[in-house]
Amino acid sequence: MADETGDLIHLADPPGTSGHVVSLRVLELPSPGRGFLDCEFVVETETVKGCFPVYITSDDLNDWEEALGLLAGNRFVSWLNSGRTVQLKIKPLSPGVIAVSVHDGPSSQVTVSLPLFPPAGWIDDQRARLEKVRQVFAG
């Protein structure tokens, strides 16, 4: 299923650097009667690789769109912070550097935080990914 939709979120360091990656992969589209996407957060660093299952609703997609607007204004965002699922935080640190944190509060209580150096235009890339997932979700 990920081949059709890919990643809703893909934040990565440029090739040849630390190789840090945080992504939200769409694993399964909603079937009739299910109003959510089956996804997983994937966090990869030199020493840590973790996957955290999460279900994403259309309201969550709307909240992600708002979060991207805040990030475009160089503001801190906290997404999926209802306490029902994994939480994502992104904080702009300086031009070209963001701090990303994934917290699995409801299940393992694990938090992974890492700096990322996303390429120019990364917010536009996230918006394009969001639109693609929305089109498939509306299907």
Side-chain angles (χ1 to χ4, degrees):
M1 192 57 58
D3 290 343
E4 291 179 31
T5 57
D7 295 341
L8 170 60
I9 298 171
H10 187 85
L11 303 169
D13 285 334
T17 62
S18 69
H20 293 171
V21 177
V22 174
S23 60
L24 180 59
R25 294 182 182 155
V26 177
L27 301 175
E28 187 176 336
L29 297 175
S31 56
R34 274 185 35 195
F36 57 87
L37 297 167
D38 184 12
C39 302
E40 71 178 353
F41 272 105
V42 178
V43 179
E44 298 178 50
T45 73
E46 302 92 344
T47 56
V48 173
K49 181 171 183 177
C51 298
F52 305 93
V54 62
Y55 295 103
I56 302 296
T57 67
S58 60
D59 288 341
D60 295 331
L61 295 178
N62 293 338
D63 292 344
W64 179 235
E65 182 176 26
E66 285 182 37
L68 289 171
L70 291 171
L71 286 167
N74 207 34
R75 307 266 315 269
F76 166 83
V77 299
S78 179
W79 182 57
L80 299 175
N81 56 1
S82 68
R84 70 170 169 81
T85 190
V86 176
Q87 180 182 32
L88 174 70
K89 295 180 181 180
I90 303 173
K91 180 180 180 181
L93 297 177
S94 62
V97 183
I98 58 175
V100 179
S101 176
V102 177
H103 176 65
D104 182 24
S107 182
S108 68
Q109 296 295 313
V110 168
T111 300
V112 180
S113 298
L114 57 147
L116 284 169
F117 302 85
W122 69 274
I123 294 175
D124 290 336
D125 177 54
Q126 302 315 302
R127 286 182 171 141
R129 292 171 183 279
L130 172 60
E131 185 55 35
K132 182 178 179 183
V133 169
R134 276 188 166 152
Q135 289 174 357
V136 174
F137 197 166

